[in-house]
Amino acid sequence: MKIGELTQKYISDLSNLYDTEEARVMFNLAAEYVLQLSPTKLRMQSGVSLLLNDYQQLLLILEDLKSGKPIQHLTGEAHFYGSVFKVNENVLIPRPETEELVDWIINKVGQIKTSDFQILDIGTGSGCIPITLKKYLPDSKVSTLDVSAKAIAVAKENAEQMKQEVNFIEADILTYRDDQKYDVVVSNPPYIRLLEQKDMHKNVLIFEPHLALFVSDEDPLIFYKAIADFAFDSLKENGLLFFEINEYLGRETLEMLKSKGFNTIELRKDMQGKDRMIMATKTSIY
């Protein structure tokens, strides 16, 4: 079978789960993993016949995709901000909106000239946030915290693979405190309400860790409140708090931060026009 023909088979067989462009992305990621070809080269070689072994491997991936399993779990890797991160069922698959948050932090911090710059990420997951921040802000000292030992193990492996020095802390932010003062605290905590599950893709519901996804309908900002309290105590003067947020709770998150003492707050939309990230500055009013 030719590459272009298999692309169309992916699109047809996955039509119950993904639209045409999403299915095409699935094929591109599978083909990049199996054939070591970029999407551009795939298009250029659409008329090339596949070797039998490659064809069989891509068919096996297609069968797993039809069950709803994420392509990143099949390849064991996810692309994030120009790097490739190991992922598995113990960590969230990095999302494009998180790339936007990281880009905001890198650009903002790049404007600040200071020594002994300290960054804390809360909710390590795959390590995509802290490792990327360390890579692009190499003079910073980056720490990251997660309650899951399994997630930290994945992130440590990614940090070692990318040769980035990150300090890992296994702890629960609902109870964690330390004496370190930080210039930046960043978090992409669990924020999806249980009532939103009905609108979610089954590959997320079945295959990604619920611990990193869901909060109760009654107190959806539980982690944001705890992190805001921690950050207000632990940030230096003019320190910055960054959150990725629930698109439906932007105003509620903003008002919560005001109530916690943050008086300079920016709510920003992602590329899809959704309220998705917030920056709050700890500044004295006196």
Side-chain angles (χ1 to χ4, degrees), residues 216-236:
S216 71
D217 297 337
E218 294 74 26
D219 192 9
L221 298 182
I222 180 172
F223 290 103
Y224 291 86
K225 294 173 185 175
I227 294 167
D229 286 335
F230 174 88
F232 198 80
D233 290 339
S234 300
L235 282 171
K236 301 174 186 176

Side-chain angles (χ1 to χ4, degrees), residues 130-131 134-135 140-143 159-160 162-168:
I131 294 169
K134 180 62 179 177
K135 178 179 178 180
S140 299
K141 295 179 180 178
V142 179
S143 298
E160 291 169 3
M162 298 180 200
K163 296 180 173 57
Q164 299 300 325
E165 184 177 347
V166 175
N167 175 42
F168 291 91

